Amino acid sequence: MVTDIEAKVMQAKRASIILASVDTATKNAALEAMARALDENRQAILEANVRDVELAEKLKRKGELPQALVDRLKVNDSKINGMISGIRDVIKLEDPVGETISALELDKGLELYQVSCPIGLIGVIFEARPDVVPQVMSLCLKSGNSTIFKGGSEASNSNRAIFDILVEAAQSIEGMPEGAFQLIETREEVKDLLSMDAYIDLLIPRGSNAFVKFIQDNTRIPVLGHADGICHAYVDSNAELGKAYSVCLDSKVQYPAVCNAIETLLVHENVADKFLPSMARMFDSAGVKMRCDGKSYAILEHIEFLKSIARATEEDWSTEYNDLIISIKIVNSIEEAIDHINTYGSHHTDAIITENLYNRKLFKDLVDSSSVMVNASTRFADGFRYGKGAEVGISTNKIHARGPVGMEGLLIYKYILLGDGDKVADYVGPDARKFTHRKLDRDISEIMDIE
């Protein structure tokens, strides 16, 4: 007997075949309809979100939900504006489906094309972020991928309201397949979803470290994502301190509950005495608690009016706080800073503040992270800010996709061989024909598209 979740997954898989061939104009029309529908249904979204937030606040008071999760859950008019802008930014992006990646003549009249195509059916599992639904749905739709969503129970009302609005709008456009986007809502269904490697081609988890790790450890489906967001800023001996104050404060304080906020500040010993007291006062004024190694504690313990400094433990260097907490360490060289980042970091996003061109290059070359910032905040590591329209997630993987992932992470390719009755037997034996393997400057659409 087919279960409800199996029926949804199978329908989405069938729809993915149709969606892969939908033309650009139809997809853009569906996206515009989705953007308008969000604007026209603001009140319904806000009312649904109020119900979620009220319940989340009760759970927070009981100690069952952290403040960071409550913050991510909240939706207001500004966030809805962001959802709408994100969808319209995706409309502006080039349609990536069917692009010719390479073309090769194997022999005269025998041509091989490598062409981009959708991955197929994407499973998105996320916690407490209703804005994930329009972000990911818009990118998946434009890239021709069906999607099955599983949101956290703490955001169930918001997720359902947004999902229903978007799906109704998309399916109102002629040519869009029904069932391409599905929503599952119970915790029990997650286990079933993770076992459906026969249908689901890629999983994208969005949530806490423990949550992402659980997904990675309990499925055979490929997973795009990151378990940790332990990011660093390194203030070099050749840093311009005005830039350092600005970058480090923004990297920690602008939005501390996200994966691209810094958790550790590394400071070269040659500038520590001058830099740290002022930086500490700025952190302190912003409510940041500081966990200091021995050298930085010795500098800061005598600063008047600092409300919260403590000695760091070994555990602090590998902790993602997602809060107004930062660990601080003084290093004696850029090499020590790089070694610390590669040892304790999560290969997510790390920054250097320096005016030294050699040190900038060394840091860029040797820090093994998906995003490396030079004199800029780690908070820039984001799909929208990177010009991707929106993002499906941030990956620290080294295969398929890395860093903030937009539509390019939702595409794979296929090979298309165009011949005229050609057979391999002609290329075998003493009188075998020779392959030319000549690169072609040609797009497959020039040959196969029908006007």
Side-chain angles (χ1 to χ4, degrees), residues 200-218:
I200 299 172
D201 300 293
L202 181 69
L203 283 175
I204 303 174
R206 299 274 294 267
S208 67
N209 303 351
F211 171 76
V212 176
K213 190 73 165 59
F214 174 83
I215 301 298
Q216 293 171 331
D217 291 344
N218 287 276

Side-chain angles (χ1 to χ4, degrees), residues 306-319:
L306 288 185
K307 293 185 285 293
S308 183
I309 66 166
R311 291 186 182 274
T313 66
E314 180 66 20
E315 185 180 358
D316 282 303
W317 311 127
S318 54
T319 297

Side-chain angles (χ1 to χ4, degrees), residues 233-236 238-240 243-244 247-248 351-355 375-376:
Y234 165 59
V235 180
D236 187 43
N238 298 107
E240 199 279 291
K243 293 178 186 177
V247 168
C248 295
I352 182 173
I353 300 91
T354 188
E355 301 301 307
N375 295 328

Side-chain angles (χ1 to χ4, degrees), residues 266-334:
L266 303 173
V267 183
H268 194 283
E269 61 183 6
N270 289 356
V271 295
D273 286 323
K274 188 173 182 181
F275 171 76
L276 273 178
S278 295
M279 188 74 254
R281 290 189 186 97
M282 292 179 192
F283 280 147
D284 196 65
S285 295
V288 179
K289 299 175 182 178
M290 289 161 275
R291 310 266 175 91
C292 306
D293 75 333
K295 290 180 180 179
S296 60
Y297 189 86
I299 292 173
L300 298 180
E301 65 175 329
H302 303 298
I303 304 294
E304 288 188 300
F305 308 120
L306 288 185
K307 293 185 285 293
S308 183
I309 66 166
R311 291 186 182 274
T313 66
E314 180 66 20
E315 185 180 358
D316 282 303
W317 311 127
S318 54
T319 297
E320 182 179 10
Y321 304 112
N322 286 134
D323 202 349
L324 288 171
I325 305 170
I326 193 165
S327 55
I328 302 173
K329 180 181 177 66
I330 294 176
V331 295
N332 60 25
S333 67
I334 185 174

Side-chain angles (χ1 to χ4, degrees), residues 103-122:
L104 187 71
E105 179 193 82
L106 303 189
D107 196 359
K108 187 174 181 180
L110 186 62
E111 299 177 353
L112 180 67
Y113 293 84
Q114 185 184 18
V115 180
S116 64
C117 63
I119 288 175
L121 177 55
I122 312 294

Side-chain angles (χ1 to χ4, degrees), residues 75-199:
V75 174
N76 52 28
D77 269 316
S78 177
K79 276 198 174 179
I80 294 174
N81 289 340
M83 296 177 195
I84 295 167
S85 296
I87 293 173
R88 287 186 168 140
D89 284 336
V90 172
I91 294 174
K92 297 173 189 174
L93 297 175
E94 291 291 326
D95 190 337
V97 179
E99 289 187 355
T100 298
I101 300 168
S102 67
L104 187 71
E105 179 193 82
L106 303 189
D107 196 359
K108 187 174 181 180
L110 186 62
E111 299 177 353
L112 180 67
Y113 293 84
Q114 185 184 18
V115 180
S116 64
C117 63
I119 288 175
L121 177 55
I122 312 294
V124 180
I125 309 175
F126 59 102
E127 293 179 318
R129 288 182 175 175
D131 54 342
V132 166
V133 178
Q135 282 180 6
V136 174
M137 191 183 292
S138 59
L139 287 170
C140 285
L141 191 157
K142 187 71 176 267
S143 58
N145 291 282
S146 287
T147 317
I148 186 157
F149 294 90
K150 169 62 179 81
S153 58
E154 67 283 342
S156 59
N157 293 297
S158 307
N159 292 338
R160 169 55 69 182
I162 295 170
F163 178 85
D164 286 347
I165 289 165
L166 294 175
V167 169
E168 183 179 353
Q171 292 186 173
S172 71
I173 302 302
E174 186 178 354
M176 286 294 296
E178 289 191 15
F181 301 102
Q182 302 282 349
L183 179 69
I184 62 173
E185 299 181 272
T186 68
R187 186 183 299 272
E188 293 73 23
E189 289 175 315
V190 173
K191 185 177 179 182
D192 294 333
L193 195 71
L194 298 182
S195 69
M196 295 187 178
D197 52 295
Y199 302 103

